[in-house]
Amino acid sequence: MATTAAAVARALADRGIERAFGLPGGEVLVLIDELRKVGIDFVLMRHEANAGIAAAVYGKLQRQPGVVIATLGPGAANLLLPVANAYLDQEPLLAITAQIPDDFPPSHTHQLLPLHDTYRPMCKVVEKVTCTNAGDTIRLALDSCMERPYGVSYVTLSAREAVKPVAPGMPSPNGHGRDTVMQRADARSAALALEAKLSTAERPLVLVGLGVDHAVAPRLRDWLTRWNLPVAVTPKVKGIVDETAPNFVGVISGMAADGLMVEALKGADLLIGFGLDPVEIDKTWHAELPIEWLLESPNAGGRVPDGVGLIDHAKVLDTLTAAAPPRSWTQPFAQFQKKRRDLLTGQASGDVTMWPGDLIRALSEAVPAETIVTTDVGSHKYLFGQFWPSRHPETFWMSNGLSGMAYGLSAAIGAKLARPDAPVVAAVGDGGFSMNAQELETAERIGAPFVTIVLEDGSYSLIKLAQENRQLEPYRMDFCPIDNVKMAEACGVEGLRTSNPDELATAVRRAIERGTSLVAAVPVHYADYRKLF
Ligand SMILES: Cc1ncc(C[n+]2csc(CCOP(=O)(O)OP(=O)(O)O)c2C)c(N)n1
């Protein structure tokens, strides 16, 4: 008779899961062994947080939940960051951990944490897997992750339960706190109402956000191009429109040039929030400016603005595109677009540092358009978020709802496994790199080569700049350099340090052509970021 662990593995395999990421403990060994037996590869990583992030990116690119496995207690606690990230950044993630068996004596508190209570507010499904519910629970958990907005399911399986034979089923568990199913508003009337509003707008701006599924990208591009509408995007959907196209205004929600972007928003006479989710916005303009919301699914936390009905984006776009534009617009944001472009031109402050604008230019010319770029969190995220010229959907990944450091390198591993043929570049700060550089070894071991650009400024520069902005004493924001080239080499990866854009471009091109990993450490001056904000 199959065991509970075997039933879990079978349910995962039957749903097409081919990989699970994680870091084991003795309590999940049986489960991992059952995964092996059904052909699910266990991607062994060096921290549960990294494993969870890699899993979620991998899953989203595979159009299925990423699966992460950790032990009980400390392993489960380390999953807090990726669970929080997947919850706010809408990435589908199934987290499975062990837990102390229910029939242990009540006095046994070693490694016992209130895991269900901790994770429940951020999860769609939280369940205990038992010998009577294993298959149903896993299927429900997987399905719930893929309901929009994508998110997290969390299940526990104790080591004792894992080896029990499966028993006749109990009624299927229900999801906890799952999204209320909402009535879809009539897409055609929504399109007609929008068309009427646009017919009187002189400076309309379409704001595309996280709530737009990448599958509608061709329709969205078609509509925007035919009607020649100005468009801005949030970082999480960079690439959903071609950012080198003439109607592209910029990236909104807290990246570099944000003051300029907020000015542009205020200058618009019609803002269309197409899947716009305020979870990405660090200011409050989303509540202060009038926005025409076109949402297909609830925003983070199940929120929907008052009086707004959910509509099918594809249907709205089909109706709009079939009609003639109600008027013509000739680049009403041209002055903002020019100022934004001009910001990238500048000179590095130090002799041996690279001007951040030169870094973007050199790198974007060196890699093919389909390259997947991930960033970490810090000043460099603002730089790449605003200025990296994304051209294709799903080619840009950052943590923005949570904005958690140590995302970029782990996300690159997940992306490379999901898209082995696409070049992958991770742009990270030297602070963030020191949080999980050891995963370079993981990437080498599992055959997931990618390029890492480490922007070295010897500080937590984003926070250092904030300290300066508040006129606080300079205090504890700098660190001594770690030799990131040696760090790369210690993990079996080629490393180089350069402040020369041409040298950087040549090295990156070569690594991509060879299909090998590279760590390029690029010295930058922290104060140069200020000129871009
Ligand atoms: C896990 C986590 N801890 C702390 C922060 C706060 N924080 C945001 S940016 C930043 C500095 C990042 O420094 P670095 O990685 O060197 O990037 P830089 O800002 O220098 O580009 C910090 C500490 C965070 N966002 N996430």
Side-chain angles (χ1 to χ4, degrees), residues 9-300:
R10 174 50 46 209
L12 291 169
D14 286 349
R15 286 296 172 93
I17 303 294
E18 293 174 346
R19 283 194 169 97
F21 299 71
L23 195 159
E27 293 78 2
V28 289
L29 283 177
V30 170
L31 175 60
I32 291 170
D33 196 52
E34 292 298 340
L35 295 182
R36 179 186 62 77
K37 289 183 197 159
V38 296
I40 297 177
D41 186 30
F42 184 68
V43 181
L44 180 75
M45 295 193 61
R46 290 173 172 275
H47 194 290
E48 292 83 352
N50 304 333
I53 287 167
V57 172
Y58 174 80
K60 195 162 182 187
L61 280 166
Q62 298 279 73
R63 321 258 181 271
Q64 61 177 198
V67 177
V68 61
I69 296 177
T71 190
L72 74 182
N78 270 350
L79 277 184
L80 188 61
L81 186 102
V83 166
N85 191 76
Y87 164 59
L88 288 181
D89 282 65
Q90 300 185 19
E91 290 172 358
L93 180 68
L94 169 60
I96 306 176
T97 75
Q99 179 55 302
I100 301 288
D102 286 345
D103 52 1
F104 266 36
S107 55
H108 182 96
T109 48
H110 177 66
Q111 294 193 321
L112 179 63
L113 294 172
L115 295 173
H116 284 204
D117 290 346
T118 303
Y119 285 113
R120 186 167 286 118
M122 293 183 283
C123 293
K124 296 173 172 229
V125 166
V126 174
E127 281 295 340
K128 191 184 334 176
V129 177
T130 67
C131 62
T132 57
N133 73 7
D136 283 348
T137 301
I138 293 300
R139 284 184 285 276
L140 172 74
L142 290 170
D143 290 347
S144 303
C145 293
M146 296 309 291
E147 280 168 17
R148 306 262 312 277
Y150 301 136
V152 192
S153 290
Y154 173 62
V155 300
T156 50
L157 172 64
S158 77
R160 269 190 194 176
E161 201 69 24
V163 294
K164 281 189 192 164
V166 284
M170 302 235 302
S172 303
N174 292 316
H176 294 286
R178 294 175 64 185
D179 307 318
T180 344
V181 178
M182 304 189 71
Q183 206 73 40
R184 298 250 157 181
D186 177 17
R188 195 176 146 69
S189 0
L192 293 177
L194 184 63
E195 193 182 332
K197 292 220 154 92
L198 278 164
S199 70
T200 58
E202 288 175 9
R203 291 175 315 284
L205 184 54
V206 181
L207 312 176
V208 186
L210 177 54
V212 174
D213 197 291
H214 284 282
V216 302
R219 285 181 162 96
L220 181 67
R221 286 172 173 226
D222 201 23
W223 172 55
L224 293 168
T225 311
R226 280 175 195 239
W227 287 29
N228 194 24
L229 274 164
V231 59
V233 300
T234 63
K236 293 288 295 184
V237 286
K238 271 175 71 68
I240 199 153
V241 300
D242 181 353
E243 296 182 11
T244 61
N247 63 339
F248 182 69
V249 175
V251 179
I252 50 166
S253 73
M255 299 298 108
D258 200 46
L260 185 66
M261 286 300 123
V262 174
E263 256 185 75
L265 291 167
K266 288 184 177 161
D269 59 357
L270 179 61
L271 292 173
I272 301 165
F274 213 98
L276 184 69
D277 189 336
V279 76
E280 283 200 76
I281 305 170
D282 61 346
K283 303 198 170 60
T284 51
W285 55 257
H286 58 85
E288 288 144 17
L289 300 175
I291 296 176
E292 289 299 314
W293 298 91
L294 284 176
L295 301 183
E296 188 167 60
S297 54
N299 283 333

Side-chain angles (χ1 to χ4, degrees), residues 377-380 403-405 429-432 457 459-463 529:
V377 173
S379 300
H380 64 283
S403 295
M405 288 170 71
D430 44 2
D457 53 25
S459 67
Y460 293 125
S461 83
L462 187 69
I463 311 304
Y529 287 123

Side-chain angles (χ1 to χ4, degrees), residues 81 376-382 402-406 428-435 455-465 477 479 524 526 529:
L81 186 102
D376 214 70
V377 173
S379 300
H380 64 283
K381 164 178 135 167
Y382 289 15
L402 182 69
S403 295
M405 288 170 71
V428 304
D430 44 2
F433 187 59
S434 65
M435 280 178 157
L455 288 91
E456 294 183 328
D457 53 25
S459 67
Y460 293 125
S461 83
L462 187 69
I463 311 304
K464 182 167 165 157
L465 290 168
M477 289 302 142
F479 33 75
V524 291
Y526 86 96
Y529 287 123

Side-chain angles (χ1 to χ4, degrees), residues 352-370:
V352 286
T353 59
M354 195 185 291
W355 166 248
D358 290 343
L359 169 54
I360 295 286
R361 217 180 335 265
L363 203 54
S364 61
E365 284 167 14
V367 303
E370 64 274 15

